């Protein structure tokens, strides 16, 4: 009987592809198996099997599966259902979901290689200038991947057309090579020969065979000690260390048939040695009441999702630990989501001290191989564990998921912006939990407006912790009027007198301080003093940020770097200056203002390597630094007991962003950074510098009044029809030619208005209208919350299919962002 497999291919295509299963694979290929399939003329991709059928499709040629990569499935049924939901809800292709879900190490792909033809004679072929460059590169480097050729030749997007022309002329040969990114770690293991388990006389004969050879006897006795401790195999290096014998002695016993030596694949992550595990944390009366109330709402009130709103330093983590312990004892797995990798550093240590090797960490700073090992561990072993991870952790293969904790649930970092799928890990985690029958706990000191509204409306349970642990007072927040400061001093200073005095006092008291400035780099722009020219990225409509340590201008959208011009490229005068402040420059100012203070900086640039976060956090926690300068990374849930002062520079940047969520984001960020101060027995002080001291957000922050802010913000949302009273979908259109984009965007907008009427706004140019040489237009679709979102998405998919074949849309990329942030 013939067998056919429907598979997902990791490409932005919203359809499944059918391949025949070769006879020799019929018993081995399963739903969830990873297979290699041919695609197009030369390409090969890793695909995941989603169904098997004896019914052959009609209408096109069926290609056979090229190879089966694993002994069993690498994706389990709940994951495939979850992938389908993400694809459907976020209007993304199932191929994009697969690409996001699987670690790169599990995606074997064919790489395109180019080399000069063996019979190529340069004197017989006329080459263009670009073709000559490619020939020169291939002559020098030999066989090259297309991507490497693009970078080294500088041809970039035109290299495809150049190679096509050279292929026709017979100058180059193009081939494909299957590349496996994952490489397993193996260890040499030693065990007794198999007959030792069945022959009762085997042990006596083994000792008789080595009688008189002291080193061999020592090795055999050491091996028996491992067996007595319950281990059937021992790493070769560990056995040599235990016995003090060399590899030659092991070889002798192997030749005598007493030992067997073999290679075994092992996990990169050995259990962490934490010594004696710590007891569960004691809960205060308020924490105990919250713990009991959460469980009651899950058990008795039928609320599968509960929001825990607890002020900063109220001890939410201790409540989480108690709930995790309950789940692990009942044999379940726990997913603990955090918005930033930085948070995993402190959190991992706290949880490992209680739960030991049951703690698993998963995030993008791990290598491809490390992430594959974690994936395989969870796939093969459904034993109780707690997984700490960032948003991509929702795609891991859970077997017995019992609890999902989403810490700092309000954070926009949970939203994936690019590439597709553009999912929100918080919302996706709630759906994932529902598929497993698991409970969800959302935690935050300042929940998102949508989440708190759902809790007050009864859709989620609600538990509140309104006091800090141990009766510690909330920090005093002072709003510093920088306009008044300027009038008094007659000049502008980034660090106000009040902030400077507070930090100096903290340092004199042997305390620490945090300086928060939400802009990385040395300065946000370079500018000519004569003609006011500002260098911009050639591919993006943004000014370039100056990074002094590289002495380069950097585009924070596409990553392109440029030298700092010594003369203005417009007026040719040597009058370029650096304008504004980034965290690099703030670090220098702090060093000057507080001479002798030890300074650390935490931003994207200082934490690029795998252990960057951990090194900075460990040093600051150990009081090896006095002042921590950082971007929003320093605001999110970090616990430093020595911090008494927090200074917020340029708070206006937070409240003046052109977005309906700007007030909410500003309030949340300021509340979070304020919460880093005075977390133990020392009073905390927070100084927020702004030129808008009368802005409503500033007063709510000063008084720690979340509910007051929520009421005002909710009324604003109601008046202008924004979430939670509507659902939003952004439609983005991109094109390399601005005029063509305007035509296609207007056409798309008209078609949308034909379907949805005045619910459609735009098209309009976003704040940044061009990124990576692509011009952008945005259309906003507002849908009533009681409307059928499934019907809306069906209409959008149908419209997309019709529009893509229209000549006016040629070259235009269109994608949707559901529930944008």
């Amino acid at each position: 009987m013939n067998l056919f497999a429907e598979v997902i291919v990791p490409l932005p295509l919203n359809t499944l592809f059918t391949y025949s299963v070769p006879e020799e694979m019929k018993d081995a290929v399963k739903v969830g198996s990873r297979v290699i399939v041919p695609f197009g003329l030369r390409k090969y991709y890793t695909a995941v099997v989603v169904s098997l059928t004896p019914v052959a499709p009609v209408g096109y040629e069926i290609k056979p599966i090229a190879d089966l990569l694993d002994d069993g499935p690498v994706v389990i049924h709940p994951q495939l259902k979850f992938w389908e939901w993400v694809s459907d809800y976020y209007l993304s292709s199932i191929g994009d979901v697969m690409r996001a879900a699987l670690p790169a190490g599990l995606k074997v792909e064919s790489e395109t290689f180019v080399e000069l033809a063996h019979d190529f004679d340069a004197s017989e072929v006329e080459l263009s200038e670009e073709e000559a460059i490619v020939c020169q590169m291939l002559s020098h480097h030999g066989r090259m991947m297309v991507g490497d050729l693009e970078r080294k030749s500088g041809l970039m997007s035109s290299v495809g057309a150049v190679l096509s022309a050279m292929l026709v002329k017979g100058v180059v040969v193009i081939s494909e090579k299957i590349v496996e990114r994952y490489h397993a770690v193996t260890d040499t293991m030693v065990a007794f020969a198999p007959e030792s388990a069945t022959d009762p006389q085997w042990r006596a004969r083994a000792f008789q065979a080595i009688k008189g050879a002291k080193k061999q006897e020592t090795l055999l006795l050491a091996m028996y000690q491992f067996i007595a401790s319950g281990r059937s195999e021992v790493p070769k290096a560990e056995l040599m260390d235990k016995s003090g014998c060399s590899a030659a002695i092991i070889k002798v016993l192997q030749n005598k048939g007493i030992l067997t030596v073999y290679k075994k694949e092992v996990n990169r992550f050995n259990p962490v040695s934490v010594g004696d595990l710590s007891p569960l944390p004691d809960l205060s009366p308020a924490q105990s009441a919250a713990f009991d109330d959460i469980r009651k709402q899950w058990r008795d009130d039928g609320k599968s999702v509960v929001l825990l709103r607890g002020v900063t330093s109220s001890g939410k983590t201790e409540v989480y630990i108690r709930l995790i312990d309950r789940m692990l004892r009942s044999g379940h797995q726990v997913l603990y989501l955090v918005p930033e990798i930085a948070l995993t550093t402190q959190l991992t240590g706290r949880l490992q001290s209680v739960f030991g090797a049951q703690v698993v960490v998963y995030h993008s700073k791990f290598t491809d191989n490390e992430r594959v090992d974690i994936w395989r561990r969870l796939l093969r072993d459904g034993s109780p564990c707690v997984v700490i991870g960032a948003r991509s952790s929702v795609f891991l293969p859970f077997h017995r998921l019992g609890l999902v904790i989403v810490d700092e649930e309000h954070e926009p970092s949970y939203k994936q912006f690019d590439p597709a799928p553009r999912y929100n890990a918080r919302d996706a985690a709630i759906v994932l939990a529902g598929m497993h029958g698991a409970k969800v706990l959302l935690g935050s000191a300042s929940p998102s407006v949508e989440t708190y509204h759902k809790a007050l409306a009864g859709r989620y349970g609600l538990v509140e912790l309104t006091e800090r642990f141990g009766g510690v007072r909330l920090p005093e927040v002072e709003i510093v009027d920088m306009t008044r400061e300027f009038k008094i001093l007659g000049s502008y200073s980034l660090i106000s007198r009040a902030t400077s005095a507070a930090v100096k006092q903290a340092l004199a008291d042997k305390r620490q301080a945090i300086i928060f400035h939400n802009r990385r780099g040395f300065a946000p722009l370079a500018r000519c003093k004569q003609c006011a020219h500002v260098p911009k990225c050639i591919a993006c409509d943004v000014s370039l940020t100056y990074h002094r340590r590289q002495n380069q201008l950097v585009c924070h959208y596409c990553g392109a770097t440029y030298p700092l011009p010594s003369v203005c490229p417009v007026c040719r005068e040597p009058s370029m200056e650096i304008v504004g402040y980034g965290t690099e420059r703030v670090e220098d100012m702090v060093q000057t203002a507080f001479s002798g203070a030890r300074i650390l900086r935490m931003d994207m640039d200082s934490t690029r390597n795998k252990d960057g976060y951990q090194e900075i956090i460990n040093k600051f926690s150990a009081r090896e630094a006095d002042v921590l300068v950082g971007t929003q990374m320093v605001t999110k849930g970090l616990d430093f007991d020595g911090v008494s002062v927090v200074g917020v520079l340029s708070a206006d940047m937070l409240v003046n962003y052109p977005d309906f969520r700007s007030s909410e984001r500003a309030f949340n960020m300021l509340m979070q950074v304020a919460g880093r101060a005075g977390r133990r027995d020392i009073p905390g002080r927070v100084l927020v510098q702004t030129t808008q001291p009368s802005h409503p957000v500033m007063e709510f922050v000063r008084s720690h009044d979340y509910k007051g802010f929520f009421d005002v913000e909710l009324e604003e949302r109601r008046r202008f029809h924004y979430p939670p009273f509507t659902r939003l979908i952004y439609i983005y259109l991109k094109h390399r030619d601005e005029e063509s984009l305007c035509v296609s965007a207007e056409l798309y907008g008209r078609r949308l208005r034909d379907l949805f009427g005045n619910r459609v706004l735009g098209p309009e140019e976003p704040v940044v209208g061009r990124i990576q040489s692509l011009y952008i237009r945005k259309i906003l679709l507002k849908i009533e919350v009681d409307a059928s979102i499934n019907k809306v998405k069906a209409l959008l998919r149908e419209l997309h299919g019709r529009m893509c074949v229209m000549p006016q849309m040629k070259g235009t990329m269109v994608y949707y962002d559901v529930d944008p942030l």
Side-chain angles (χ1 to χ4, degrees):
M1 181 180 70
N2 292 330
L3 188 63
F4 302 90
E6 285 193 311
V7 305
I8 305 171
V9 178
L11 294 171
L13 302 169
N14 199 37
T15 186
L16 302 178
F17 295 87
T18 304
Y19 291 83
S20 63
V21 181
E23 191 67 32
E24 65 273 15
M25 297 183 193
K26 284 183 178 178
D27 294 333
V29 172
K30 309 290 183 186
V31 172
S33 291
R34 199 168 54 116
V35 295
I36 295 288
V37 296
F39 196 88
L41 295 177
R42 300 189 196 86
K43 288 287 187 180
Y44 287 85
Y45 288 101
T46 300
V48 172
V49 177
V50 296
S51 68
L52 295 165
T53 177
V55 180
V58 294
Y60 56 90
E61 176 190 359
I62 305 299
K63 297 179 181 179
I65 291 173
D67 198 8
L68 175 65
L69 292 172
D70 309 281
D71 296 333
V74 298
V75 180
I76 56 181
H77 178 71
Q79 286 177 285
L80 291 175
K81 298 300 292 182
F82 182 59
W83 289 9
E84 290 175 10
W85 177 85
V86 172
S87 171
D88 179 67
Y89 186 83
Y90 290 104
L91 293 170
S92 176
S93 72
I94 190 70
D96 278 331
V97 177
M98 174 192 165
R99 196 177 251 315
L102 283 182
L106 290 179
K107 295 191 285 265
V108 179
E109 295 181 4
S110 60
E111 298 282 5
T112 302
F113 286 84
V114 184
E115 59 185 321
L116 290 175
H118 295 299
D119 57 352
F120 166 60
D121 185 347
S123 63
E124 297 179 356
V125 182
E126 184 177 347
L127 299 176
S128 69
E129 181 180 348
E130 292 179 330
E131 291 169 351
I133 292 173
V134 171
C135 279
Q136 185 180 4
M137 297 296 296
L138 293 176
S139 298
H140 180 70
H141 294 283
R143 194 165 180 248
M144 296 179 68
M145 286 193 298
V146 171
D148 292 338
L149 187 58
E150 285 180 351
R151 288 188 293 273
K152 292 182 179 181
S153 68
L155 298 177
M156 302 307 289
S157 60
S158 66
V159 76
V162 174
L163 289 175
S164 296
M166 296 175 74
L167 190 63
V168 172
K169 295 177 181 179
V171 176
V172 296
V173 175
I174 295 178
S175 60
E176 296 289 324
K177 179 183 178 182
I178 299 295
V179 177
E180 170 68 85
R181 291 186 175 89
Y182 174 68
H183 301 284
V185 173
T186 59
D187 200 355
T188 303
M189 307 299 290
V190 181
F192 281 134
E195 54 267 26
S196 64
T198 56
D199 186 352
Q201 303 300 318
W202 185 89
R203 179 172 180 173
R205 288 201 305 273
F207 275 102
Q208 183 64 35
I210 61 172
K211 188 175 182 180
K214 290 187 177 181
K215 289 188 176 181
Q216 295 177 38
E217 289 178 349
T218 300
L219 183 68
L220 192 58
L221 288 171
M223 191 68 192
Y224 268 111
Q225 289 178 350
F226 283 117
I227 298 298
S229 67
R231 298 170 66 177
S232 60
E233 59 182 5
V234 185
K236 183 178 178 180
E238 188 176 351
L239 178 60
M240 292 166 60
D241 184 62
K242 174 78 173 177
S243 64
C245 297
S246 65
I249 304 300
I250 295 177
K251 183 67 174 178
V252 170
L253 295 188
Q254 183 182 4
N255 292 337
K256 290 181 177 181
I258 297 173
L259 298 179
T260 178
V261 181
Y262 51 92
K263 294 281 188 180
K264 180 182 178 181
E265 183 178 330
V266 296
N267 198 292
R268 284 176 168 79
F269 296 91
N270 296 319
V272 178
S273 176
V274 292
D276 295 332
L277 296 181
S278 303
L280 292 174
D282 294 328
L283 300 184
S284 68
Q287 290 171 324
S288 294
F291 172 77
D292 293 336
D293 197 5
I294 291 167
R295 296 185 62 233
K296 174 182 176 297
Q297 293 193 40
W298 282 339
R299 182 183 63 246
D300 301 334
D301 299 346
K303 305 290 187 184
S304 58
V305 181
V306 173
L307 169 64
L308 174 61
R309 188 182 82 85
V311 298
T312 55
S313 196
S314 59
K316 295 186 290 294
T317 305
E318 283 73 19
V319 177
Y320 299 160
I321 290 173
R322 285 279 184 167
L323 293 169
I324 291 168
D325 179 66
R326 288 267 183 171
M327 284 295 170
L328 296 181
R329 289 179 185 275
S330 64
H332 287 92
Q333 296 169 320
V334 178
L335 173 59
Y336 193 139
L337 283 176
V338 293
E340 292 278 1
I341 297 169
L343 287 184
T344 63
T345 302
Q346 285 189 327
L347 188 60
T348 299
R350 293 184 69 178
L351 265 62
Q352 283 180 339
S353 69
V354 178
F355 302 114
Q358 289 180 297
V359 177
V360 178
V361 185
Y362 185 85
H363 55 64
S364 60
K365 286 291 184 179
F366 287 149
T367 66
D368 291 339
N369 287 333
E370 289 170 333
R371 278 181 279 177
V372 171
D373 278 344
I374 295 170
W375 183 285
R376 292 189 184 278
R377 169 182 168 176
L378 291 172
L379 186 68
R380 296 168 180 169
D381 183 6
S383 59
C385 66
V386 51
V387 177
I388 306 172
R391 58 176 178 256
S392 60
S393 304
V394 297
F395 293 112
L396 286 169
F398 296 100
H399 287 273
R400 299 196 64 200
L401 187 62
L403 172 62
V404 175
I405 296 171
V406 185
D407 198 17
E408 310 293 358
E409 67 81 29
H410 64 276
E411 276 292 336
S413 301
Y414 283 122
K415 175 72 173 181
Q416 166 75 14
F417 292 100
D418 275 311
R422 295 167 179 85
Y423 66 98
N424 188 313
R426 176 198 62 198
D427 301 337
I430 293 173
V431 173
L432 176 70
M435 291 179 173
H436 285 266
K439 305 300 183 186
V440 179
L441 182 63
L442 308 175
S444 176
S446 51
S448 68
V449 170
E450 290 96 322
T451 298
Y452 199 62
H453 180 259
K454 289 176 181 177
L456 294 181
R459 291 180 58 187
Y460 296 165
L462 177 62
V463 177
E464 301 193 81
L465 277 169
T466 57
E467 62 181 51
R468 281 185 154 189
F469 182 78
V472 175
R473 290 187 296 114
L474 287 167
E476 174 190 350
V477 178
E478 178 182 341
I479 307 300
V480 181
D481 185 350
M482 296 303 289
T483 302
R484 184 170 178 269
E485 179 104 352
F486 177 81
K487 290 178 180 178
I488 293 173
L489 298 179
S491 61
Y492 177 78
S493 174
L494 184 66
I495 302 177
S496 69
R497 294 173 301 161
T499 302
S500 179
V503 172
K504 287 179 179 178
Q505 186 60 54
L507 299 180
D509 295 338
K510 305 300 182 184
R511 301 296 185 185
Q512 294 171 294
I514 291 176
I515 302 295
F516 168 61
H517 184 65
N518 203 32
R519 176 165 279 168
R520 66 187 177 99
F522 185 82
L525 55 88
R527 184 179 64 193
C528 175
K529 289 185 284 188
Q530 297 295 329
C531 69
H533 168 72
V534 174
K536 291 188 175 183
C537 178
I538 61 172
C540 309
D541 282 342
V542 291
S543 59
L544 299 168
T545 300
Y546 177 63
H547 289 248
R548 191 184 62 180
R549 279 164 178 76
Q550 300 101 301
N551 192 31
Q552 286 184 318
L553 297 172
V554 180
C555 175
H556 285 177
Y557 280 81
C558 70
T561 59
Y562 303 83
L564 178 67
S566 55
V567 298
C568 174
V570 175
C571 68
R572 312 305 298 174
E573 291 292 329
S575 53
M576 296 300 295
E577 64 175 345
I578 301 301
V579 180
Y581 298 86
T583 46
E584 283 184 29
R585 195 170 192 177
V586 172
E587 180 184 14
D588 287 350
M589 291 188 63
V590 170
Q591 190 72 70
T592 302
F594 312 111
S595 58
R598 298 165 298 174
I599 315 296
L600 285 173
R601 176 168 56 88
M602 182 188 285
D603 55 27
M604 190 179 296
D605 300 311
S606 65
T607 56
R608 289 192 183 278
N609 65 64
K610 178 181 174 182
D611 299 318
Y613 294 106
Q614 187 165 349
E615 292 172 1
I616 293 171
I617 290 171
N618 287 348
K619 285 182 178 180
F620 199 63
S621 297
R623 305 287 187 95
E624 294 178 21
D626 305 305
V627 181
L628 177 63
V629 175
T631 58
Q632 59 181 345
M633 290 181 182
V634 304
T635 71
K636 300 176 181 179
L638 297 173
D639 187 8
F640 302 120
D641 57 12
V643 175
S644 62
V645 171
V646 170
V648 178
L649 312 184
S650 304
D652 301 326
M653 291 192 302
L654 305 178
V655 297
N656 290 332
Y657 193 78
D659 185 87
F660 78 94
R661 296 185 192 273
S662 61
S663 291
E664 179 184 7
R665 287 178 180 166
F667 178 82
N668 287 342
M669 197 172 292
L670 291 172
M671 288 290 287
Q672 289 294 323
V673 72
R676 302 315 104 207
R679 295 177 68 88
R680 295 296 184 271
D681 56 347
I682 55 175
R685 188 179 177 196
V686 181
L687 298 101
V688 180
Q689 299 181 181
T690 176
T691 60
Q692 301 171 267
S694 60
H695 195 289
V697 167
M698 300 303 169
E699 176 56 31
F700 291 128
V701 170
R702 191 194 62 77
S703 57
H704 300 278
D705 185 6
Y706 171 78
K707 289 186 176 179
F709 167 78
F710 171 80
D711 291 339
V712 171
E713 184 68 13
L714 191 69
E715 187 54 38
E716 284 281 306
R717 303 278 185 92
R718 190 195 312 273
R719 189 187 318 164
F720 294 104
H721 306 290
Y722 279 109
F725 304 106
T726 56
R727 286 178 167 174
L728 302 184
I729 299 176
Y730 284 158
I731 300 96
Y732 285 96
L733 298 94
K734 295 183 177 182
H735 200 289
R736 293 192 178 276
D737 180 72
E738 187 172 18
E739 186 175 337
S740 298
L741 177 63
C742 291
V743 172
S744 57
E746 287 296 333
L747 177 61
Y748 216 98
R750 286 199 302 271
R751 294 291 187 269
L752 283 168
R753 269 185 281 275
D754 290 342
L755 291 172
F756 300 106
N758 61 6
R759 299 178 184 87
V760 179
L761 302 175
E764 66 175 6
E765 184 177 352
V767 176
V768 179
R770 185 172 61 105
I771 296 176
Q772 294 181 339
S773 299
L774 292 171
Y775 293 92
I776 308 168
R777 293 295 181 270
K778 181 176 73 174
I779 301 173
L780 171 60
L781 176 60
K782 289 184 178 181
I783 301 296
E784 298 85 349
V785 290
D786 55 355
S788 171
I789 194 66
N790 290 331
K791 185 176 179 180
V792 169
K793 290 174 183 175
L795 289 171
L796 288 174
R797 286 189 187 277
E798 182 184 353
L799 175 64
H800 186 264
R802 293 202 315 268
M803 296 293 291
C804 285
V805 298
M806 297 181 69
Q808 299 94 321
M809 299 295 296
K810 185 178 180 181
T812 303
M813 292 177 280
V814 181
Y815 65 84
Y816 300 106
D817 187 2
V818 179
D819 299 337
L821 290 182

